[in-house]
Structures are given as C-alpha cells and as structure tokens.
C-alpha cells in the first residue's frame, strides 16, 4: 500500500501553473506593462494632489463631513480631528495620503467590478453557482498568496498592491449585492413586473434602492478589507503607512512600528465609521 | 362582451411535468403527484371567460391555486399549457415586448400585502406605472394626484407607505392601479389583510368604482361572504381545478358537489340566522292576573322599562310601559288592562335576521317573536347587531 502511494509520480501542478503564468505574462506583457505604467502615473498624481492640499484644510474637511454625516454629533468629528492631527504630528501625513490613494483605488475598482458581478449573480442562478465557489476560494486564501500573481504581472509598487487588494477585498461587495437584490420582497418584484417594467427599470427603480443598505454594508466590508491589505501589499513595494510598519518590523524598531500601526488603526476607525453612518443616513 | 378567455390552462411547478399532468388526468391527488414526481400542480385545466365590466371572483382555500391562476393572466407565472386570450389576443404566445405593453396598458394588479414600494412616497408609488411608460413628469403627477384625490389620500401624498394604516395603504395600491387607467384589474386577496370593518368599506368602494368606471375585475378571495358580496360570478377552486362557476345564487342553491356544499354551509349568518336564534327571554306580565304594582316590581327586578303583556295562554296582547304602570298604581287600579298598548311589531321565529334588521332599526319597542299568537321571545336591537357582527368575524377568520 505504502509503496503503491509512493509509486504515483508527483502531479506537476506547480510547473503547470508556472507555465500558465509565463504564458500570460509573456503574451500580455504589453497590456500589463501599460496598466502598470499608467496606473502608477495616475495614482501618483492623486497622491501628489492630496499631499498638495494643506493638511489642515483636509483635516477640517474630514471633520466637517464626519460631523454632518453622523447626524450632527461630535463623537466621530472629535475623534477624526485628534486622530488626524496625531498622524500629522508624527510626520506620517504623506504616508497616510499614499495609503488613502491605495485604499481609494482598490475600493473603487472593487465596487466597479463587484456590483455588476453581484447583480449578474442575483439574476442568474447559473452565474451564482459559478461565482460563489470562486468567491469562497478568494476569501479563504490568505492575502499573501495574491502577491505572487500581482508581482508576476505588474512587478513591484503600488499597482500590484492595488491588484492584490482588489482580489482580496472584492468578495463582500459581490456577495452582499447578490444577497440584497435576492432579498427584495417577492411581492415588490411582482409589482414592478406587473406594471410592465423593463429589466433595467426594475433594477434601478426598485431592486437597487431596496438593496442599497445591504450593498452599502458590503462596500464597507470591502473598504475595510482593502485597508487590511495595506501592510501586506507593502511587502511588494506599495508605499504608505503599511511600509512604515514593515520597515519598523524588519529593523525591530518597536516604537516606530507602534506609531505607524496606531495611525493605521485610527485611519481604519475613521473610514469604517464614516462609511457606516453614510449607510445609515441613506437607508430608508 | 368577452374580455378574458382562459382555455385549458395548467401550471405545474418543478420537474417531470408531463408525468405530473398525466397523473392529474388519472385523478391522482396533489400529494400523490408530489410524492411520485416531485412536481406541484398549481393550476389544472382551468377554463373560464370573464365578460367586460364583470366582477369575477375566484374563491378557494389557501393553496388551491388562486394566486397562481391570476398570475398566469399577466404571465408573472408562465403557463405550462393552455391559452389565455385578452380581447382576443393570445397572451400566452406573446413576445416580451407586446407582453410588456399589455401589462402597461391593459391590466394592473393589486396585491394582498399591498406591494407598495417602501422607498417611494405615496405620490411616487402612484406614478410608478406611468413613470415606466415614459409619461412626462407633469402629466403623470397630475394623473397620480387625481387618483390619490379619488382615494381621499391626496393630503398624504408625500408620506411613505409605512406611515399609513393597512386600509390606507391598500387604497394607495388601488389608486396606483387606477392611475394607469387599465381595462382590467387583477386583485389577489386585496382585502384579506384588512380588518372586517375596513374590509367592508373597501368592498363597497370597489362596487362603487365598478359601477362608475366599468372595469373588468378579477378578484381573488378565500372568504365566501366577500365573494357573494362583490362577485357577479364566482369560480370555486380546489387543488388547482375549478370545480364550479356560477352566480352566488347558483352556487348557494345548487352546489356542484359535496365540497362546494360544505364550503357554502358557513355562508353569511345574516342569511341563515333567524329570529329564533337570537331572541331573548321575554319579560312579561299576565294581564289576567297581574296588577300595575306587580308589573312595576318586575320591571325593577329585571331592570327594564317595558314589559310584554300576555294572557293566561301566553298569547301576546301588547306591551305596557313603566310610566303608565306607575300612573295606574297611583290610581290603585287592580289590573293592567287599561294601559296595555297593542301596537307591537311581531315576527315569526323563522324570519331571517337580515330582514329583521331594517325593522328593528325603526322600531321604538323590542320586536316580539310570535308563533300561533304565543309569545316566544323578544328581539333587542343590540343583541341582533351583535349576532350579525360575530357571524361576520367568524366567517372572515374561519379559513
Ligand atoms: N413558485 C412555486 N414553486 C412551487 N410551487 C408553487 C409555487 N407557487 C405556488 N406553488 C404551489 O402551488 C399551489 C397553489 O399555490 P397558490 O396559487 O399560491 O395558492 P393560493 O393562492 O390559492 O393560496 C400550492 O400548492 C403552492 O405550494
Ligand atoms: Mg394566494
């Protein structure tokens, strides 16, 4: 029995995957290169723009926004003010802006891909049966794993960082969009149909508005997941607060690591509360 | 004129549809078919026609296929077999585009739980049908406001459905349907979620509407009273099949089989309750025996201000009032003969309650129930009305 098992030659899965990747990278190198180059250019511009705004202006804008979006309460506004001032004070403002760009791009791309995919899933059971296991797979994989294809396609820097984040952060938006639309009460779908709505009228006038708070909950999770990829993505050269954490780790600078880590937590809390209260306010 | 024609329409849910249809033909029960094939028979071989301007009621117990049947008409559910014609056009063979046009222009649906969009105001809900047809904002708003005005709800137009009571919500549901000016209204248990009083009101409104607007209405209910009240004709369904179609009168007097008969037996009590069922024990004086003092004492005992007067054979002679008895007692009269008033309304014990209702309304005294001149009991207004209203509640909740 033992021998028998040993006698089966190893299935060459690793080489297969490798050659598939090779094939992709060599055949589409122009495509990947141009994404890398243009993506980097665009994101750097956004970061430059954010940095060019005086920090105090940006901080005040966030504070005011937080104040109104939470229903004119002072809690989040105060927290944002103190937190952001602290980050600025620690000399991490530019890194914070880089992280913002990374999170912004990966969230937006996730939403742009995720919502239509979720809609497709909700409309077709076949699509649901295909996409669901892929999402499960994507979510069970550790975020690190996505660094490998990201590097293979795009080398190092912010673009592969965004790529890996998108893969990691995409599933909640897709899932919750699907769920939200499937949860629209049957009678309301029937009402929309019985009055002669076209598929898109039904989608935009009834289903999406009614699924909105569920979709927003998915988007919130997506944003948080892409934020959690910030440190991991820094391992392949994505700039920002994550890189500060990583550097501190490599040099065992406990103090610096703590400050950068704390800044990330502050940023995460602000983003989380902002997207959540945005959702609450918009929900009917 | 024939507006809707349904020909041998069946709907089977699930797989193994041909086998399931074969089994229905062999008179197998729904549960057997489900067990053998895994398919559920929703509607089997339904055929009927609805005339223009008619209220056609489909009645049956829960699960008998009513909702499925009404949804086959606008193809919210695709028929498995059979044909459905509306104004001679075959709905079941229609392409998507033409079907959408029929839904937009010919028929509107009203739902059991109102089907209002919670994220839209009443006005926006009412405009929905017009909006998706691409009608300009001013025009559709004007029409929707008119529809809400007719429903008496214009003042609430900027509120959301959740802010309204059930009855008001269903008025909006109906207004939304009517704003489209459809020729046909499909109403699936539209009033079933409402409490009895509101429900009756809505039934009356629907009947009024029908008289003025002459819509063709397909109305579903599981309540026979409602069916009898509003239906020009009634179809009774059981396990997906239509087992009898006829006017209320035909179904009541000539039920097609035992199933219909048991169904019909708990029909509105006002039609079957008689005077005998609701009369109360009479309080009376014996004119041959009792004097005014005895009469007064009895009135005090029984807490009434009026006594029926009978002779020793308990034949009704009339009634006496407390005032007259008091006066007679003061005059030390020995009998009540002089104060008996003879003009009292009498009814036989088997008289129907619904016929009594009109009389009792105008009668200053209780009505006497009399058989062969003998006084059996009296009918008191409160008791009669109570009997009617309990029978109503029972009837609406019995399914
Ligand atoms: N989408 C569906 N899939 C499977 N079975 C269904 C579906 N809709 C209805 N049915 C079945 O069809 C039968 C008739 O249901 P329905 O038309 O809703 O009855 P009613 O409206 O008279 O209560 C029931 O046995 C029900 O379980
Ligand atoms: Mg039903």
């Amino acid at each position: 029995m033992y021998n028998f098992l040993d006698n089966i030659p190893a299935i060459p899965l690793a080489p297969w995957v490798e050659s598939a990747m090779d094939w992709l990278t060599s055949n589409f190198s122009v495509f990947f290169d141009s994404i890398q180059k243009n993506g980097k250019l665009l994101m750097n511009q956004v970061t430059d723009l954010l940095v060019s705004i005086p920090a105090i202006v940006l901080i005040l804008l966030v504070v005011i926004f937080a104040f109104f979006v939470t229903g004119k309460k002072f809690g989040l506004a105060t927290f944002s003010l103190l937190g952001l001032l602290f980050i600025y004070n620690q000399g991490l403002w530019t890194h914070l802006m880089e992280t913002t760009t990374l999170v912004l791009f990966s969230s937006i791309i996730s939403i742009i891909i995720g919502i239509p995919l979720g809609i497709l899933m909700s409309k077709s059971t076949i699509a649901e049966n295909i996409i669901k296991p892929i999402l499960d797979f994507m979510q069970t994989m550790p975020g690190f794993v996505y660094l490998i294809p990201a590097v293979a396609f795009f080398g190092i820097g912010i673009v592969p960082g965004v790529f890996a984040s998108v893969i990691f952060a995409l599933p909640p938006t897709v899932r919750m969009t699907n769920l939200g639309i499937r949860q629209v009460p049957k009678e309301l779908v029937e009402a929309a149909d019985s009055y002669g709505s076209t598929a898109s009228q039904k989608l935009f006038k009834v289903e999406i508005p009614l699924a909105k708070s569920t979709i927003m909950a998915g988007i919130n999770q997506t944003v948080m997941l892409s934020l959690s990829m910030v440190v991991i993505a820094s391992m392949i050269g994505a700039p920002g607060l994550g890189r500060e954490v990583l550097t501190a780790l490599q040099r065992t600078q406990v103090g610096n690591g703590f400050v950068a880590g704390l800044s990330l937590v502050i940023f995460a809390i602000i983003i989380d509360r902002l997207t959540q209260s945005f959702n609450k306010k918009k929900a009917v | 004129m024939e507006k809707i024609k349904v020909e041998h329409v069946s709907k089977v849910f699930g797989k193994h549809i041909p086998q399931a249809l074969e089994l229905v033909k062999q008179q197998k029960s729904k549960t057997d078919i489900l067990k053998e094939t895994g398919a559920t028979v929703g509607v089997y071989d339904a055929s009927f026609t609805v005339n223009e301007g008619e209220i056609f009621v489909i009645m049956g117990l829960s699960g008998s296929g009513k909702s499925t049947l009404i949804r086959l008409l606008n193809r919210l559910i695709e028929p498995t077999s059979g044909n459905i014609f509306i104004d001679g056009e075959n709905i079941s063979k229609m392409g998507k585009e033409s079907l959408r046009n029929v839904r937009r222009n010919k028929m509107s649906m009203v739902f059991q739980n109102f089907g209002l969009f919670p994220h839209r105001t009443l006005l926006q809900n009412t405009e929905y049908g017009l909006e998706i047809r691409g009608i300009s904002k001013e025009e559709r708003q004007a029409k929707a406001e008119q529809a809400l005005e007719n429903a008496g709800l214009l003042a609430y137009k900027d509120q959301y459905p959740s802010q309204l009571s059930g009855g008001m919500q269903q008025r909006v549901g109906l207004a939304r349907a009517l704003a489209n000016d459809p020729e046909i209204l499909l109403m699936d248990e539209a009033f079933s979620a409402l409490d009895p009083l509101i429900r009756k009101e809505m039934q009356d409104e629907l009947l009024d509407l029908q008289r003025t607007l002459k819509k063709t209405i397909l109305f579903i209910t599981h309540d026979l009273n409602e069916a009898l009240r509003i239906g020009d004709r009634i179809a009774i369904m059981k396990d997906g099949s239509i087992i009898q179609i006829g006017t209320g009168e035909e179904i009541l007097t000539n039920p097609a089989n035992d199933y219909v008969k048991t169904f019909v037996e708990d029909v509105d009590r006002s039609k079957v309750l008689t005077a005998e069922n609701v009369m109360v024990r009479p309080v009376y004086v014996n004119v041959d025996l009792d004097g005014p003092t005895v009469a007064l004492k009895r009135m005090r005992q029984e807490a009434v201000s009026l006594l029926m007067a009978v002779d020793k054979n308990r034949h009704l002679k009339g009634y006496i009032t407390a005032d007259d008895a008091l006066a007679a007692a003061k005059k030390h009269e020995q009998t009540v003969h002089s104060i008996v008033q003879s003009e009292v309304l009498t009814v036989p014990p088997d008289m129907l309650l619904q016929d009594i209702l009109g009389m009792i309304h105008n009668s200053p005294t209780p009505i006497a129930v009399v058989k062969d001149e003998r006084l059996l009991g009296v009918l008191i207004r409160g008791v009669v009305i109570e009997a009617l209203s309990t029978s109503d509640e029972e009837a609406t909740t019995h399914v």
Side-chain angles (χ1 to χ4, degrees):
Chain A
M1 203 62 184
Y2 220 66
N3 280 339
F4 171 69
L5 283 181
D6 279 346
N7 285 341
I8 301 172
I11 299 168
L13 185 57
W16 287 346
V17 172
E18 217 151 286
S19 55
M21 288 295 284
D22 280 349
W23 182 83
L24 274 175
T25 41
S26 56
N27 281 281
F28 292 92
S29 64
V30 182
F31 171 69
F32 289 130
D33 282 351
S34 103
I35 290 188
Q36 157 78 326
K37 214 180 277 149
N38 294 321
K40 191 172 167 187
L41 201 69
L42 181 64
M43 286 186 247
N44 284 344
Q45 277 171 356
V46 171
T47 306
D48 289 346
L49 177 74
L50 287 173
V51 172
S52 75
I53 302 171
I56 191 66
V57 173
L58 214 52
I59 292 176
L60 284 179
L61 283 177
V62 172
V63 170
I64 292 168
F65 185 65
F67 178 70
F68 283 106
V69 98
T70 53
K72 303 195 179 172
K73 293 209 185 79
F74 286 102
L76 184 60
T78 315
F79 180 83
S80 308
L81 180 66
L82 297 179
L84 292 175
L85 283 176
F86 168 78
I87 296 173
Y88 184 83
N89 171 266
Q90 295 298 306
L92 294 173
W93 188 254
T94 310
H95 297 302
L96 177 67
M97 292 304 107
E98 283 162 349
T99 296
T100 306
T101 306
L102 184 78
V103 172
L104 197 67
F105 271 81
S106 44
S107 302
I108 289 176
I109 294 171
S110 296
I111 292 165
I112 290 175
I113 299 172
I115 290 181
L117 214 54
I119 292 171
L120 175 71
M121 236 173 125
S122 71
K123 294 290 164 192
S124 146
T125 306
I126 296 175
E128 189 183 34
N129 289 338
I130 295 171
I131 297 172
K132 222 173 200 163
I134 298 177
L135 294 180
D136 290 339
F137 180 80
M138 282 162 78
Q139 272 188 314
T140 38
M141 277 294 206
F144 287 102
V145 177
Y146 301 127
L147 298 182
I148 301 165
V151 171
F153 294 147
F154 302 110
I156 59 167
I158 193 168
V159 173
V162 167
F163 176 83
S165 299
V166 166
I167 297 178
F168 186 67
L170 184 64
T173 296
V174 182
R175 269 187 217 283
M176 299 293 261
T177 303
N178 175 39
L179 183 72
I181 292 180
R182 282 183 186 263
Q183 270 178 350
V184 172
K186 185 163 170 258
E187 210 180 60
L188 299 184
V189 176
E190 283 187 335
D193 281 332
S194 72
Y195 282 93
S197 311
T198 62
S200 68
Q201 284 173 331
K202 180 168 67 166
L203 187 65
F204 289 109
K205 288 180 194 288
V206 178
E207 290 173 320
I208 289 183
L210 288 173
K212 197 162 64 187
S213 61
T214 310
I215 296 176
M216 287 301 288
I219 289 177
N220 171 273
Q221 285 182 34
T222 287
V223 175
M224 296 320 286
L225 282 181
S226 65
L227 193 62
S228 77
M229 275 297 281
V230 160
V231 177
I232 295 169
S234 69
M235 290 164 68
I236 51 172
L241 290 172
R243 187 189 282 171
E244 294 308 294
V245 175
L246 189 69
T247 315
L249 190 69
Q250 285 159 344
R251 299 184 193 155
T252 55
Q253 296 165 328
V254 181
N256 286 348
F258 178 77
V259 171
L262 185 62
S263 305
L264 257 178
V265 171
I266 292 170
F267 183 56
I269 292 176
I270 296 174
I271 299 263
D272 183 46
R273 295 299 130 83
L274 275 183
T275 48
Q276 269 183 26
S277 43
F278 196 58
N279 188 14
K280 263 181 224 136
K281 198 180 143 214
K282 286 290 176 104
V284 180
Chain B
M1 239 228 9
E2 205 173 271
K3 190 80 183 169
I4 303 171
K5 184 174 177 155
V6 173
E7 275 182 354
H8 304 293
V9 166
S10 297
K11 173 67 193 183
V12 179
F13 295 102
K15 294 176 197 152
H16 308 297
I17 289 167
Q19 289 97 306
L21 284 173
E22 195 50 47
L23 290 177
V24 196
K25 260 184 221 156
Q26 297 167 19
Q27 311 261 309
K28 291 263 171 105
S29 79
K30 248 172 96 166
T31 24
D32 285 348
I33 296 169
L34 182 64
K35 232 180 264 163
E36 274 182 51
T37 63
T40 308
V41 180
V43 170
Y44 180 70
D45 199 26
S47 297
F48 60 91
T49 56
V50 182
N51 298 321
E52 191 161 357
E54 187 178 30
I55 301 187
F56 189 85
V57 174
I58 297 168
M59 202 195 74
L61 298 177
S62 158
S64 58
K66 308 178 299 289
S67 295
T68 307
L69 181 56
I70 205 170
R71 279 165 178 70
L72 292 171
L73 291 184
N74 59 1
R75 268 178 59 190
L76 285 180
I77 295 177
E78 293 288 334
T80 305
S81 61
N83 293 304
I84 295 161
F85 298 92
I86 291 181
D87 289 330
E89 266 188 303
N90 194 338
I91 294 284
S92 34
K93 300 280 183 297
M94 214 169 240
K96 255 188 174 172
E97 182 77 36
S98 346
L99 176 63
R100 199 154 54 226
N101 281 330
V102 170
R103 287 176 175 175
R104 286 180 175 189
N105 301 310
K106 277 236 166 100
M107 42 192 180
S108 294
M109 195 156 180
V110 182
F111 295 86
Q112 178 165 10
N113 299 304
F114 323 134
L116 298 178
F117 303 124
H119 61 293
R120 292 177 149 243
T121 63
L122 300 197
L123 184 67
Q124 288 166 342
N125 263 288
T126 313
E127 316 184 296
Y128 186 82
L130 303 164
E131 183 182 325
I132 58 174
R133 273 156 64 182
I135 287 168
S136 78
K137 199 171 167 99
E138 297 81 56
E139 191 183 339
R140 70 180 193 236
Q141 261 186 13
K143 280 188 175 166
E145 282 180 1
Q146 185 57 52
L148 283 174
E149 165 97 69
N150 294 344
L153 288 171
L154 189 57
Y156 300 89
K157 69 180 171 125
D158 294 321
Q159 305 221 338
Y160 288 90
S162 60
Q163 295 169 284
L164 270 67
S165 70
M168 287 158 106
Q169 289 192 41
Q170 195 56 299
R171 283 204 175 88
V172 178
L174 198 52
R176 177 174 67 178
L178 291 173
N180 260 343
D181 197 23
E183 294 158 33
I184 300 169
L185 280 177
L186 304 175
M187 305 182 73
D188 186 5
E189 305 225 17
F191 302 154
S192 296
L194 308 176
D195 40 325
L197 282 179
I198 308 279
R199 191 167 175 177
K200 210 157 234 170
E201 236 173 86
M202 295 288 284
Q203 292 168 356
D204 289 337
E205 279 170 36
L206 188 71
L207 289 170
D208 280 348
L209 199 119
Q210 161 70 4
R211 269 189 287 275
T212 50
L213 301 179
K214 303 265 182 281
K215 305 284 182 201
T216 305
I217 300 174
L218 222 83
F219 191 98
I220 283 183
T221 180
H222 61 247
D223 174 7
L224 184 59
N225 284 331
E226 188 167 66
L228 291 170
R229 200 142 185 263
I230 65 173
D232 292 319
R233 282 187 306 146
I234 300 167
I236 295 186
M237 280 188 90
K238 179 183 185 247
D239 291 345
S241 300
I242 295 181
I243 50 178
Q244 185 170 10
I245 300 179
T247 62
E249 197 60 35
E250 279 163 8
I251 285 172
L252 285 181
T253 53
N254 203 0
N257 57 25
D258 285 348
Y259 179 78
V260 181
K261 204 180 281 174
T262 50
F263 217 132
V264 161
E265 267 163 10
D266 41 39
V267 65
D268 191 335
R269 292 249 200 102
S270 66
K271 296 200 172 90
V272 290
L273 276 183
T274 60
E276 199 169 24
N277 300 131
V278 296
M279 68 189 185
V280 297
R281 184 177 57 88
V283 186
Y284 55 82
V285 289
N286 185 337
V287 293
D288 296 332
L289 213 63
D290 303 329
T293 328
V294 175
L296 280 171
K297 195 175 168 209
R298 193 159 299 156
M299 286 183 193
R300 215 170 303 129
Q301 265 172 5
E302 304 279 345
V304 293
S305 59
L306 190 146
L307 292 177
M308 290 295 158
V310 297
D311 64 11
K312 61 180 189 298
N313 296 322
R314 219 176 148 179
H315 286 179
L316 182 68
K317 293 295 167 196
Y319 66 94
I320 64 173
T321 67
D323 291 344
D324 292 347
L326 202 58
K330 274 184 185 154
K331 282 189 255 167
H332 302 290
E333 286 186 27
Q334 292 305 301
T335 68
V336 291
H337 279 294
S338 63
I339 55 169
V340 171
Q341 311 206 23
S342 56
E343 58 285 2
V344 53
L345 278 172
T346 63
V347 297
D350 56 357
M351 187 160 184
L352 291 177
L353 221 50
Q354 90 198 88
D355 300 327
I356 293 167
L357 206 56
M359 298 166 60
I360 206 164
H361 221 78
N362 304 318
S363 168
T365 60
I367 295 177
V369 182
V370 173
K371 190 177 182 195
D372 303 331
E373 285 187 70
R374 263 174 67 86
L375 175 67
L376 299 180
V378 292
L379 294 171
I380 295 165
R381 193 157 160 253
V383 178
V384 171
I385 289 174
E386 196 191 316
L388 282 174
S389 61
T390 26
S391 79
D392 240 31
E393 258 158 56
E394 274 168 35
T396 47
T397 52
H398 90 272
V399 180

